[in-house]
Amino acid sequence: MTKNDIINQIKEKKSFLCVGLDTDISKIPEFLRDEKKPLLAFNKAIIDATADYCVAYKPNLAFYEDHGTQGLNEFIETVDYLYDNYPSHFVIADAKRGDIGNTSSMYAQAFFENYDVDAITVAPYMGEDSVKPFLAFDEKWVILLALTSNKGSLDFQMTCDENGERLFEKVLRVSKQWGTDENMMYVVGATQGKLFEDVRRIVPEHFLLVPGVGAQGGSLEEVCRYGMNSDCGLLVNSSRAIIYADKTDRFAEYAAQAAAEVQNEMAKYL
């Protein structure tokens, strides 16, 4: 999927919402747990209910790998369901991969050739040769971790070198030379507020994947004020606040309502 494809979807839907499919078997409605493929059944219902209000979906691999081969198969079937029924949606594998070059090449082939997702989250810690293999695929995206929304982000990401440059700034400055705004995005947590201005000074044209709105308490208004660019440049993820809005047999209906509320707010900022 190209950058223009994503931008056109944002304009058409007046939304830059990404729905996170962090499908936890202990949190889905009880009646679904007896299904032969409970994660897939839940995902299909959530996708059908929310597709009109979002432009992207982000399955988190941990919630599928936890169930071994069955869980991984349900992840693959979820991706297939999206491409068969909602091919205009951007599909992100939240896998946070990144290893020495030949291992990264195998990860890249797995996700971009076998699973055929549009994007994968990648950790930058091991440097250029651990990231470059993911950038070798046409119309596929690397989403590099830059400034995350978790409390532990302060442990390393905000540390400064002798020139006063913070680690997340170095990640942005160096890595933008590896790819372009046509194949690389960055993860920047919604809880970082005004720091989006510092991010935008370094990567003004790149898309940012923004977790942390909703259950984690990030402000959509702040994200838009400090992080939006002329193309929108944002994919704001919400997981728990949407997919677990209700635990009864009306869970999909409530998920649709929650997604619609976010989309309505996004339309104002666009």
Side-chain angles (χ1 to χ4, degrees):
M1 186 173 291
T2 68
K3 185 177 182 181
N4 279 337
D5 291 334
I6 299 168
I7 292 168
N8 289 337
Q9 279 299 302
I10 290 170
K11 289 178 178 176
E12 184 179 316
K13 292 187 173 178
K14 295 181 173 59
S15 172
F16 44 99
L17 174 62
C18 174
V19 173
L21 298 174
D22 298 5
T23 308
D24 184 339
I25 194 74
S26 69
K27 292 180 180 177
I28 69 174
E30 210 165 313
F31 73 93
L32 285 177
R33 297 175 200 171
D34 294 327
E35 292 275 340
K36 188 176 180 182
K37 297 178 179 179
L39 306 181
L40 180 63
F42 179 80
N43 287 350
K44 284 182 174 180
I46 291 292
I47 290 165
D48 290 341
T50 59
D52 288 343
Y53 309 110
C54 69
V55 297
Y57 287 97
K58 183 175 70 64
N60 185 323
L61 265 292
F63 292 89
Y64 303 89
E65 292 174 339
D66 179 55
H67 298 276
T69 54
Q70 178 181 332
L72 190 56
N73 285 334
E74 290 184 64
F75 160 73
I76 293 168
E77 290 185 62
T78 296
V79 174
D80 290 343
Y81 185 77
L82 281 165
Y83 285 133
D84 289 344
N85 296 277
Y86 304 99
S88 64
H89 284 68
F90 189 64
V91 179
I92 302 164
D94 191 359
K96 299 179 180 69
R97 298 300 196 252
D99 208 322
I100 61 172
N102 61 338
T103 307
S104 280
S105 293
M106 295 296 105
Y107 281 138
Q109 288 179 42
F111 283 92
F112 290 153
E113 292 183 353
N114 295 334
Y115 307 152
D116 198 28
V117 296
D118 293 306
I120 182 172
T121 54
V122 176
Y125 184 73
M126 292 182 69
E128 180 178 8
D129 61 322
S130 71
V131 176
K132 274 289 187 74
F134 295 97
L135 293 166
F137 293 79
D138 291 339
E139 296 188 10
K140 300 293 186 180
W141 293 78
V142 166
I143 307 181
L144 208 64
L145 302 178
L147 186 59
T148 57
S149 56
N150 61 307
K151 185 166 57 175
S153 65
L154 298 175
D155 292 342
F156 298 115
Q157 295 165 24
M158 297 295 290
T159 56
C160 295
D161 64 17
E162 64 276 8
N163 298 315
E165 183 177 53
R166 291 165 291 188
L167 182 57
F168 81 87
E169 293 172 311
K170 185 168 188 175
V171 167
L172 293 168
R173 178 178 57 79
V174 174
S175 66
K176 72 177 184 177
Q177 301 170 47
W178 305 339
T180 72
D181 58 72
E182 300 276 349
N183 65 359
M184 184 178 283
M185 303 184 186
Y186 293 96
V187 175
V188 180
T191 54
Q192 299 296 350
K194 205 171 180 211
L195 285 173
F196 274 83
E197 286 186 323
D198 299 331
V199 170
R200 279 300 186 205
R201 275 194 283 272
I202 303 169
V203 287
E205 303 301 327
H206 288 69
F207 261 86
L208 307 178
L209 174 64
V210 184
V213 167
Q216 293 184 56
S219 165
L220 181 59
E221 186 275 330
E222 276 196 343
V223 169
C224 293
R225 189 194 326 164
Y226 299 121
M228 188 174 278
N229 64 21
S230 60
D231 291 324
C232 176
L234 299 170
L235 292 174
V236 172
N237 183 79
S238 181
S239 301
R240 287 170 286 172
I242 291 176
I243 68 175
Y244 302 130
D246 181 73
K247 291 190 177 181
T248 70
D249 58 359
R250 297 177 64 194
F251 73 97
E253 178 185 336
Y254 281 95
Q257 291 176 14
E261 287 174 11
V262 178
Q263 184 273 325
N264 285 334
E265 186 179 356
M266 287 178 168
K268 297 174 189 175
Y269 299 124
L270 287 170

